[in-house]
Amino acid sequence: MWEENWQTVAMFLRMGTQWNASFGGLTGLNYPSLQWLLTMYPADDPVMLFEGIQMMESEALSILNSKKG
């Protein structure tokens, strides 16, 4: 992993228990929890961190919600 991505990956892992779910599966991360975590773990660039988490979230949702044969 590139060093410049470490903060984003670490925060995404901290958010691991903050998934919103419905009967259809996971719907996304609970963003208010991210805001709270940022008070404890300030980011160098919060906008870049948020955008990175959104990219990781999108990929994770496609994998986690995929139907297993």
Side-chain angles (χ1 to χ4, degrees):
M1 171 185 3
W2 293 337
E3 186 176 337
E4 59 265 23
N5 295 328
W6 175 244
Q7 271 192 339
T8 301
V9 171
M11 189 64 76
F12 184 78
L13 293 173
R14 288 181 189 113
M15 293 285 294
T17 61
Q18 299 303 311
W19 288 98
N20 293 312
S22 72
F23 290 109
L26 298 176
T27 60
L29 289 168
N30 179 6
Y31 291 145
S33 296
L34 175 60
Q35 185 178 12
W36 184 80
L37 282 169
L38 282 168
T39 64
M40 293 191 318
Y41 305 97
D44 297 335
D45 185 346
V47 173
M48 181 86 79
L49 180 123
F50 179 68
E51 290 171 352
I53 285 179
Q54 284 187 307
M55 284 191 282
M56 294 180 73
E57 174 189 34
S58 177
E59 289 300 314
L61 283 170
S62 68
I63 293 167
L64 295 169
N65 285 332
S66 68
K67 304 247 186 237
K68 306 253 189 240

